[in-house]
């Protein structure tokens, strides 16, 4: 039997509020896309041709909802495995009348690999990926050389890969891995200034409250 792949997440149930549950049950059929092993047709999915941005591991989705509402000319493919988070984002989409987001509740590596065509994304957002701070867990970190190469292959030319983290050694690892990935170019000299348009995320606030600093890393596809 082959080993199962190493997962970058642990499925936590966490609190699933009635509102999130209702949104999950009533809205997911329309706004969710089931995982499948064939590439999506973005114009068919979103009903128009517009730049598509993928957000990986959106957590409770506050940042996703804010960015999507602020950029109605873009479409957003939001990927998360955590059920209450999916319910939470759906609830915010409904409350805000936000129509340019679709959700895939599945492992982002398989979604990128199987559902996202090559050279199709205007940007990939990976905000505060699980840090797996213990050394023996570093292999569970999502951003590894294979992931970076896969992500780069899904971006259009000049498409943006934007990672943010509040863990210094993960930040250094991300910078080293992306710098060594063929087809990616750093937009900054090392770490990038935090772009004004990136809202503070829930995990970022948690990190700042713990006294952590935050590192933004922005590369483009050549
Ligand atoms: C530390 S949280 C950050 C959430 C949010 N981006 C924020 O900044 O508040 C990381 C999230 O990534 C999700 N995640 C981790 N690995 C994933 C994967 N392979 N596919 C999809 N989601 C993943 C987890 O479920 C978790 O919600």
């Amino acid at each position: 039997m082959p080993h199962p792949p190493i997962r970058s997440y642990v499925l936590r149930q966490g609190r699933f509020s009635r509102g999130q549950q209702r949104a999950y049950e009533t809205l997911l059929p329309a706004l969710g896309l089931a995982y499948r092993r064939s590439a999506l047709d973005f114009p068919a999915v979103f009903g128009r041709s517009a730049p598509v941005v993928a957000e990986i591991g959106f957590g409770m989705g506050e940042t996703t909802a804010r960015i999507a509402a602020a950029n109605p000319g873009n479409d957003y493919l939001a990927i998360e495995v955590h059920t209450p988070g999916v319910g939470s984002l759906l609830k915010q989409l409904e409350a805000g009348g936000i129509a340019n987001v679709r959700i895939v509740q599945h492992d982002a590596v398989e979604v990128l690999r199987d559902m996202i065509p090559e050279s199709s994304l205007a940007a990939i957002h990976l905000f505060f990926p699980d840090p797996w701070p213990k050394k023996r867990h570093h292999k569970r970190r999502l951003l590894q050389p294979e992931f970076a190469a896969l992500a780069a292959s899904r971006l259009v030319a000049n498409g943006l890969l934007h990672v943010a983290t509040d863990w210094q050694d993960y930040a250094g690892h991300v910078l080293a891995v992306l710098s060594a990935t063929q087809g990616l170019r750093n937009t900054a000299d090392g770490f990038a200034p935090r772009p004004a348009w990136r809202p503070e995320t829930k995990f970022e606030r948690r990190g700042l409250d713990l006294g952590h600093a935050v590192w933004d890393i922005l590369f483009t596809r050549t």
Side-chain angles (χ1 to χ4, degrees), residues 30-61:
L31 300 181
L33 302 168
Y35 166 72
R36 57 181 217 188
R37 285 201 177 74
S38 57
L40 292 170
D41 174 358
F42 287 149
V45 166
F46 291 101
R48 64 174 181 174
S49 281
V52 178
V53 177
E55 181 174 349
I56 293 176
F58 59 76
M60 299 310 276

PDB file of all heavy atoms in Angstrom, residues 30-61:
ATOM      1  N   ALA A  30     -24.989  26.064  -4.509  1.00  0.00           N
ATOM      2  CA  ALA A  30     -24.869  27.037  -5.604  1.00  0.00           C
ATOM      3  C   ALA A  30     -23.457  27.604  -5.719  1.00  0.00           C
ATOM      4  O   ALA A  30     -22.965  27.858  -6.826  1.00  0.00           O
ATOM      5  CB  ALA A  30     -25.863  28.176  -5.392  1.00  0.00           C
ATOM      6  N   LEU A  31     -22.789  27.811  -4.584  1.00  0.00           N
ATOM      7  CA  LEU A  31     -21.507  28.530  -4.618  1.00  0.00           C
ATOM      8  C   LEU A  31     -20.304  27.620  -4.425  1.00  0.00           C
ATOM      9  O   LEU A  31     -19.161  28.077  -4.481  1.00  0.00           O
ATOM     10  CB  LEU A  31     -21.501  29.636  -3.549  1.00  0.00           C
ATOM     11  CG  LEU A  31     -22.594  30.697  -3.720  1.00  0.00           C
ATOM     12  CD1 LEU A  31     -22.492  31.764  -2.635  1.00  0.00           C
ATOM     13  CD2 LEU A  31     -22.509  31.348  -5.101  1.00  0.00           C
ATOM     14  N   GLY A  32     -20.546  26.341  -4.178  1.00  0.00           N
ATOM     15  CA  GLY A  32     -19.451  25.401  -3.996  1.00  0.00           C
ATOM     16  C   GLY A  32     -19.202  24.621  -5.284  1.00  0.00           C
ATOM     17  O   GLY A  32     -20.107  24.405  -6.086  1.00  0.00           O
ATOM     18  N   LEU A  33     -17.958  24.222  -5.458  1.00  0.00           N
ATOM     19  CA  LEU A  33     -17.594  23.379  -6.601  1.00  0.00           C
ATOM     20  C   LEU A  33     -17.030  22.095  -6.025  1.00  0.00           C
ATOM     21  O   LEU A  33     -16.103  22.137  -5.214  1.00  0.00           O
ATOM     22  CB  LEU A  33     -16.517  24.067  -7.443  1.00  0.00           C
ATOM     23  CG  LEU A  33     -16.868  25.447  -7.997  1.00  0.00           C
ATOM     24  CD1 LEU A  33     -15.619  26.127  -8.551  1.00  0.00           C
ATOM     25  CD2 LEU A  33     -17.918  25.302  -9.096  1.00  0.00           C
ATOM     26  N   ALA A  34     -17.606  20.974  -6.417  1.00  0.00           N
ATOM     27  CA  ALA A  34     -17.111  19.693  -5.906  1.00  0.00           C
ATOM     28  C   ALA A  34     -15.736  19.417  -6.500  1.00  0.00           C
ATOM     29  O   ALA A  34     -15.473  19.753  -7.663  1.00  0.00           O
ATOM     30  CB  ALA A  34     -18.083  18.587  -6.283  1.00  0.00           C
ATOM     31  N   TYR A  35     -14.866  18.806  -5.680  1.00  0.00           N
ATOM     32  CA  TYR A  35     -13.562  18.400  -6.203  1.00  0.00           C
ATOM     33  C   TYR A  35     -13.758  17.399  -7.336  1.00  0.00           C
ATOM     34  O   TYR A  35     -14.599  16.514  -7.266  1.00  0.00           O
ATOM     35  CB  TYR A  35     -12.723  17.758  -5.083  1.00  0.00           C
ATOM     36  CG  TYR A  35     -11.528  17.030  -5.633  1.00  0.00           C
ATOM     37  CD1 TYR A  35     -10.448  17.736  -6.152  1.00  0.00           C
ATOM     38  CD2 TYR A  35     -11.506  15.636  -5.686  1.00  0.00           C
ATOM     39  CE1 TYR A  35      -9.376  17.072  -6.710  1.00  0.00           C
ATOM     40  CE2 TYR A  35     -10.426  14.971  -6.226  1.00  0.00           C
ATOM     41  CZ  TYR A  35      -9.360  15.691  -6.736  1.00  0.00           C
ATOM     42  OH  TYR A  35      -8.299  15.029  -7.292  1.00  0.00           O
ATOM     43  N   ARG A  36     -12.983  17.588  -8.388  1.00  0.00           N
ATOM     44  CA  ARG A  36     -13.042  16.632  -9.504  1.00  0.00           C
ATOM     45  C   ARG A  36     -11.657  16.552 -10.148  1.00  0.00           C
ATOM     46  O   ARG A  36     -10.818  17.428  -9.909  1.00  0.00           O
ATOM     47  CB  ARG A  36     -14.086  17.088 -10.533  1.00  0.00           C
ATOM     48  CG  ARG A  36     -13.801  18.488 -11.048  1.00  0.00           C
ATOM     49  CD  ARG A  36     -14.849  18.948 -12.034  1.00  0.00           C
ATOM     50  NE  ARG A  36     -14.216  19.726 -13.094  1.00  0.00           N
ATOM     51  CZ  ARG A  36     -14.890  20.391 -14.015  1.00  0.00           C
ATOM     52  NH1 ARG A  36     -16.208  20.366 -14.030  1.00  0.00           N
ATOM     53  NH2 ARG A  36     -14.251  21.076 -14.941  1.00  0.00           N
ATOM     54  N   ARG A  37     -11.463  15.536 -10.959  1.00  0.00           N
ATOM     55  CA  ARG A  37     -10.132  15.329 -11.529  1.00  0.00           C
ATOM     56  C   ARG A  37     -10.021  15.907 -12.930  1.00  0.00           C
ATOM     57  O   ARG A  37      -9.261  15.409 -13.748  1.00  0.00           O
ATOM     58  CB  ARG A  37      -9.785  13.844 -11.551  1.00  0.00           C
ATOM     59  CG  ARG A  37      -9.426  13.319 -10.191  1.00  0.00           C
ATOM     60  CD  ARG A  37      -8.611  12.049 -10.236  1.00  0.00           C
ATOM     61  NE  ARG A  37      -8.239  11.656  -8.895  1.00  0.00           N
ATOM     62  CZ  ARG A  37      -9.078  11.117  -8.014  1.00  0.00           C
ATOM     63  NH1 ARG A  37     -10.340  10.887  -8.350  1.00  0.00           N
ATOM     64  NH2 ARG A  37      -8.658  10.820  -6.807  1.00  0.00           N
ATOM     65  N   SER A  38     -10.769  16.950 -13.232  1.00  0.00           N
ATOM     66  CA  SER A  38     -10.607  17.590 -14.536  1.00  0.00           C
ATOM     67  C   SER A  38     -10.648  19.095 -14.375  1.00  0.00           C
ATOM     68  O   SER A  38     -11.243  19.617 -13.426  1.00  0.00           O
ATOM     69  CB  SER A  38     -11.695  17.115 -15.503  1.00  0.00           C
ATOM     70  OG  SER A  38     -12.957  17.374 -14.950  1.00  0.00           O
ATOM     71  N   ALA A  39     -10.009  19.779 -15.318  1.00  0.00           N
ATOM     72  CA  ALA A  39      -9.811  21.224 -15.182  1.00  0.00           C
ATOM     73  C   ALA A  39     -11.129  21.985 -15.286  1.00  0.00           C
ATOM     74  O   ALA A  39     -12.014  21.632 -16.074  1.00  0.00           O
ATOM     75  CB  ALA A  39      -8.836  21.700 -16.252  1.00  0.00           C
ATOM     76  N   LEU A  40     -11.253  23.029 -14.484  1.00  0.00           N
ATOM     77  CA  LEU A  40     -12.447  23.882 -14.528  1.00  0.00           C
ATOM     78  C   LEU A  40     -12.390  24.776 -15.753  1.00  0.00           C
ATOM     79  O   LEU A  40     -11.314  25.152 -16.227  1.00  0.00           O
ATOM     80  CB  LEU A  40     -12.482  24.781 -13.289  1.00  0.00           C
ATOM     81  CG  LEU A  40     -12.710  24.094 -11.948  1.00  0.00           C
ATOM     82  CD1 LEU A  40     -12.458  25.096 -10.813  1.00  0.00           C
ATOM     83  CD2 LEU A  40     -14.129  23.540 -11.872  1.00  0.00           C
ATOM     84  N   ASP A  41     -13.572  25.154 -16.209  1.00  0.00           N
ATOM     85  CA  ASP A  41     -13.705  26.153 -17.264  1.00  0.00           C
ATOM     86  C   ASP A  41     -14.150  27.431 -16.542  1.00  0.00           C
ATOM     87  O   ASP A  41     -15.327  27.574 -16.205  1.00  0.00           O
ATOM     88  CB  ASP A  41     -14.763  25.649 -18.255  1.00  0.00           C
ATOM     89  CG  ASP A  41     -15.088  26.679 -19.329  1.00  0.00           C
ATOM     90  OD1 ASP A  41     -14.532  27.791 -19.291  1.00  0.00           O
ATOM     91  OD2 ASP A  41     -15.926  26.347 -20.201  1.00  0.00           O
ATOM     92  N   PHE A  42     -13.203  28.342 -16.268  1.00  0.00           N
ATOM     93  CA  PHE A  42     -13.530  29.497 -15.421  1.00  0.00           C
ATOM     94  C   PHE A  42     -14.690  30.337 -15.959  1.00  0.00           C
ATOM     95  O   PHE A  42     -15.575  30.718 -15.194  1.00  0.00           O
ATOM     96  CB  PHE A  42     -12.294  30.364 -15.177  1.00  0.00           C
ATOM     97  CG  PHE A  42     -11.285  29.746 -14.233  1.00  0.00           C
ATOM     98  CD1 PHE A  42      -9.929  30.017 -14.370  1.00  0.00           C
ATOM     99  CD2 PHE A  42     -11.689  28.909 -13.200  1.00  0.00           C
ATOM    100  CE1 PHE A  42      -8.997  29.459 -13.504  1.00  0.00           C
ATOM    101  CE2 PHE A  42     -10.757  28.343 -12.325  1.00  0.00           C
ATOM    102  CZ  PHE A  42      -9.412  28.625 -12.482  1.00  0.00           C
ATOM    103  N   PRO A  43     -14.711  30.677 -17.267  1.00  0.00           N
ATOM    104  CA  PRO A  43     -15.861  31.473 -17.744  1.00  0.00           C
ATOM    105  C   PRO A  43     -17.195  30.765 -17.484  1.00  0.00           C
ATOM    106  O   PRO A  43     -18.189  31.413 -17.147  1.00  0.00           O
ATOM    107  CB  PRO A  43     -15.585  31.635 -19.245  1.00  0.00           C
ATOM    108  CG  PRO A  43     -14.096  31.509 -19.352  1.00  0.00           C
ATOM    109  CD  PRO A  43     -13.697  30.503 -18.311  1.00  0.00           C
ATOM    110  N   ALA A  44     -17.211  29.438 -17.578  1.00  0.00           N
ATOM    111  CA  ALA A  44     -18.465  28.718 -17.309  1.00  0.00           C
ATOM    112  C   ALA A  44     -18.790  28.756 -15.805  1.00  0.00           C
ATOM    113  O   ALA A  44     -19.945  28.934 -15.413  1.00  0.00           O
ATOM    114  CB  ALA A  44     -18.352  27.273 -17.792  1.00  0.00           C
ATOM    115  N   VAL A  45     -17.746  28.649 -14.971  1.00  0.00           N
ATOM    116  CA  VAL A  45     -17.966  28.641 -13.516  1.00  0.00           C
ATOM    117  C   VAL A  45     -18.472  29.996 -13.037  1.00  0.00           C
ATOM    118  O   VAL A  45     -19.405  30.088 -12.236  1.00  0.00           O
ATOM    119  CB  VAL A  45     -16.642  28.285 -12.793  1.00  0.00           C
ATOM    120  CG1 VAL A  45     -16.721  28.605 -11.309  1.00  0.00           C
ATOM    121  CG2 VAL A  45     -16.290  26.821 -13.010  1.00  0.00           C
ATOM    122  N   PHE A  46     -17.846  31.083 -13.521  1.00  0.00           N
ATOM    123  CA  PHE A  46     -18.173  32.412 -12.992  1.00  0.00           C
ATOM    124  C   PHE A  46     -19.163  33.170 -13.874  1.00  0.00           C
ATOM    125  O   PHE A  46     -19.615  34.250 -13.515  1.00  0.00           O
ATOM    126  CB  PHE A  46     -16.889  33.235 -12.817  1.00  0.00           C
ATOM    127  CG  PHE A  46     -15.999  32.722 -11.716  1.00  0.00           C
ATOM    128  CD1 PHE A  46     -14.884  31.943 -12.010  1.00  0.00           C
ATOM    129  CD2 PHE A  46     -16.282  33.001 -10.388  1.00  0.00           C
ATOM    130  CE1 PHE A  46     -14.058  31.465 -10.990  1.00  0.00           C
ATOM    131  CE2 PHE A  46     -15.465  32.532  -9.363  1.00  0.00           C
ATOM    132  CZ  PHE A  46     -14.349  31.755  -9.664  1.00  0.00           C
ATOM    133  N   GLY A  47     -19.464  32.636 -15.047  1.00  0.00           N
ATOM    134  CA  GLY A  47     -20.431  33.292 -15.922  1.00  0.00           C
ATOM    135  C   GLY A  47     -19.879  34.516 -16.625  1.00  0.00           C
ATOM    136  O   GLY A  47     -20.629  35.367 -17.101  1.00  0.00           O
ATOM    137  N   ARG A  48     -18.571  34.635 -16.674  1.00  0.00           N
ATOM    138  CA  ARG A  48     -17.937  35.753 -17.385  1.00  0.00           C
ATOM    139  C   ARG A  48     -16.448  35.461 -17.507  1.00  0.00           C
ATOM    140  O   ARG A  48     -15.934  34.546 -16.845  1.00  0.00           O
ATOM    141  CB  ARG A  48     -18.132  37.061 -16.626  1.00  0.00           C
ATOM    142  CG  ARG A  48     -17.444  37.051 -15.269  1.00  0.00           C
ATOM    143  CD  ARG A  48     -17.523  38.410 -14.603  1.00  0.00           C
ATOM    144  NE  ARG A  48     -16.824  38.382 -13.305  1.00  0.00           N
ATOM    145  CZ  ARG A  48     -16.630  39.449 -12.551  1.00  0.00           C
ATOM    146  NH1 ARG A  48     -17.078  40.636 -12.944  1.00  0.00           N
ATOM    147  NH2 ARG A  48     -15.989  39.355 -11.398  1.00  0.00           N
ATOM    148  N   SER A  49     -15.740  36.272 -18.300  1.00  0.00           N
ATOM    149  CA  SER A  49     -14.292  36.142 -18.393  1.00  0.00           C
ATOM    150  C   SER A  49     -13.666  37.274 -17.596  1.00  0.00           C
ATOM    151  O   SER A  49     -13.819  38.439 -17.976  1.00  0.00           O
ATOM    152  CB  SER A  49     -13.834  36.235 -19.849  1.00  0.00           C
ATOM    153  OG  SER A  49     -14.065  35.017 -20.482  1.00  0.00           O
ATOM    154  N   ALA A  50     -13.012  36.940 -16.508  1.00  0.00           N
ATOM    155  CA  ALA A  50     -12.380  37.951 -15.655  1.00  0.00           C
ATOM    156  C   ALA A  50     -11.148  37.307 -15.031  1.00  0.00           C
ATOM    157  O   ALA A  50     -11.048  36.082 -14.991  1.00  0.00           O
ATOM    158  CB  ALA A  50     -13.360  38.385 -14.562  1.00  0.00           C
ATOM    159  N   PRO A  51     -10.207  38.125 -14.533  1.00  0.00           N
ATOM    160  CA  PRO A  51      -9.053  37.532 -13.850  1.00  0.00           C
ATOM    161  C   PRO A  51      -9.520  36.701 -12.656  1.00  0.00           C
ATOM    162  O   PRO A  51     -10.424  37.106 -11.924  1.00  0.00           O
ATOM    163  CB  PRO A  51      -8.251  38.755 -13.386  1.00  0.00           C
ATOM    164  CG  PRO A  51      -8.699  39.885 -14.264  1.00  0.00           C
ATOM    165  CD  PRO A  51     -10.143  39.604 -14.595  1.00  0.00           C
ATOM    166  N   VAL A  52      -8.902  35.526 -12.500  1.00  0.00           N
ATOM    167  CA  VAL A  52      -9.288  34.636 -11.394  1.00  0.00           C
ATOM    168  C   VAL A  52      -8.137  34.560 -10.379  1.00  0.00           C
ATOM    169  O   VAL A  52      -6.983  34.323 -10.744  1.00  0.00           O
ATOM    170  CB  VAL A  52      -9.624  33.217 -11.908  1.00  0.00           C
ATOM    171  CG1 VAL A  52      -9.967  32.291 -10.737  1.00  0.00           C
ATOM    172  CG2 VAL A  52     -10.783  33.273 -12.899  1.00  0.00           C
ATOM    173  N   VAL A  53      -8.481  34.767  -9.121  1.00  0.00           N
ATOM    174  CA  VAL A  53      -7.518  34.708  -8.018  1.00  0.00           C
ATOM    175  C   VAL A  53      -7.903  33.518  -7.140  1.00  0.00           C
ATOM    176  O   VAL A  53      -9.073  33.366  -6.779  1.00  0.00           O
ATOM    177  CB  VAL A  53      -7.581  36.006  -7.178  1.00  0.00           C
ATOM    178  CG1 VAL A  53      -6.637  35.917  -5.973  1.00  0.00           C
ATOM    179  CG2 VAL A  53      -7.255  37.225  -8.043  1.00  0.00           C
ATOM    180  N   ALA A  54      -6.919  32.683  -6.793  1.00  0.00           N
ATOM    181  CA  ALA A  54      -7.195  31.568  -5.876  1.00  0.00           C
ATOM    182  C   ALA A  54      -6.683  31.941  -4.493  1.00  0.00           C
ATOM    183  O   ALA A  54      -5.562  32.448  -4.357  1.00  0.00           O
ATOM    184  CB  ALA A  54      -6.507  30.301  -6.366  1.00  0.00           C
ATOM    185  N   GLU A  55      -7.499  31.715  -3.480  1.00  0.00           N
ATOM    186  CA  GLU A  55      -7.016  31.877  -2.103  1.00  0.00           C
ATOM    187  C   GLU A  55      -7.002  30.514  -1.435  1.00  0.00           C
ATOM    188  O   GLU A  55      -8.014  29.806  -1.411  1.00  0.00           O
ATOM    189  CB  GLU A  55      -7.891  32.842  -1.296  1.00  0.00           C
ATOM    190  CG  GLU A  55      -7.297  32.975   0.106  1.00  0.00           C
ATOM    191  CD  GLU A  55      -7.962  33.994   1.003  1.00  0.00           C
ATOM    192  OE1 GLU A  55      -8.773  34.794   0.519  1.00  0.00           O
ATOM    193  OE2 GLU A  55      -7.659  33.958   2.214  1.00  0.00           O
ATOM    194  N   ILE A  56      -5.843  30.182  -0.886  1.00  0.00           N
ATOM    195  CA  ILE A  56      -5.649  28.843  -0.311  1.00  0.00           C
ATOM    196  C   ILE A  56      -5.682  28.925   1.213  1.00  0.00           C
ATOM    197  O   ILE A  56      -4.935  29.698   1.812  1.00  0.00           O
ATOM    198  CB  ILE A  56      -4.307  28.271  -0.806  1.00  0.00           C
ATOM    199  CG1 ILE A  56      -4.400  28.026  -2.312  1.00  0.00           C
ATOM    200  CG2 ILE A  56      -3.946  26.991  -0.050  1.00  0.00           C
ATOM    201  CD1 ILE A  56      -3.124  27.564  -2.937  1.00  0.00           C
ATOM    202  N   GLY A  57      -6.568  28.141   1.836  1.00  0.00           N
ATOM    203  CA  GLY A  57      -6.652  28.124   3.303  1.00  0.00           C
ATOM    204  C   GLY A  57      -7.196  29.436   3.829  1.00  0.00           C
ATOM    205  O   GLY A  57      -6.531  30.137   4.584  1.00  0.00           O
ATOM    206  N   PHE A  58      -8.461  29.737   3.457  1.00  0.00           N
ATOM    207  CA  PHE A  58      -9.014  31.061   3.803  1.00  0.00           C
ATOM    208  C   PHE A  58      -9.498  31.149   5.249  1.00  0.00           C
ATOM    209  O   PHE A  58      -9.915  32.218   5.694  1.00  0.00           O
ATOM    210  CB  PHE A  58     -10.117  31.483   2.825  1.00  0.00           C
ATOM    211  CG  PHE A  58     -11.303  30.547   2.731  1.00  0.00           C
ATOM    212  CD1 PHE A  58     -12.266  30.510   3.722  1.00  0.00           C
ATOM    213  CD2 PHE A  58     -11.447  29.717   1.620  1.00  0.00           C
ATOM    214  CE1 PHE A  58     -13.362  29.656   3.622  1.00  0.00           C
ATOM    215  CE2 PHE A  58     -12.544  28.857   1.511  1.00  0.00           C
ATOM    216  CZ  PHE A  58     -13.505  28.828   2.519  1.00  0.00           C
ATOM    217  N   GLY A  59      -9.415  30.061   6.007  1.00  0.00           N
ATOM    218  CA  GLY A  59      -9.797  30.118   7.419  1.00  0.00           C
ATOM    219  C   GLY A  59     -11.269  30.440   7.565  1.00  0.00           C
ATOM    220  O   GLY A  59     -12.122  29.726   7.034  1.00  0.00           O
ATOM    221  N   MET A  60     -11.619  31.516   8.257  1.00  0.00           N
ATOM    222  CA  MET A  60     -13.018  31.894   8.432  1.00  0.00           C
ATOM    223  C   MET A  60     -13.480  32.826   7.301  1.00  0.00           C
ATOM    224  O   MET A  60     -14.641  33.243   7.286  1.00  0.00           O
ATOM    225  CB  MET A  60     -13.245  32.549   9.799  1.00  0.00           C
ATOM    226  CG  MET A  60     -12.901  31.622  10.969  1.00  0.00           C
ATOM    227  SD  MET A  60     -13.655  29.960  10.859  1.00  0.00           S
ATOM    228  CE  MET A  60     -15.260  30.303  11.545  1.00  0.00           C
ATOM    229  N   GLY A  61     -12.581  33.197   6.407  1.00  0.00           N
ATOM    230  CA  GLY A  61     -12.984  33.863   5.172  1.00  0.00           C
ATOM    231  C   GLY A  61     -13.205  35.367   5.237  1.00  0.00           C
ATOM    232  O   GLY A  61     -13.629  35.966   4.245  1.00  0.00           O
TER     233      GLY A  61
END
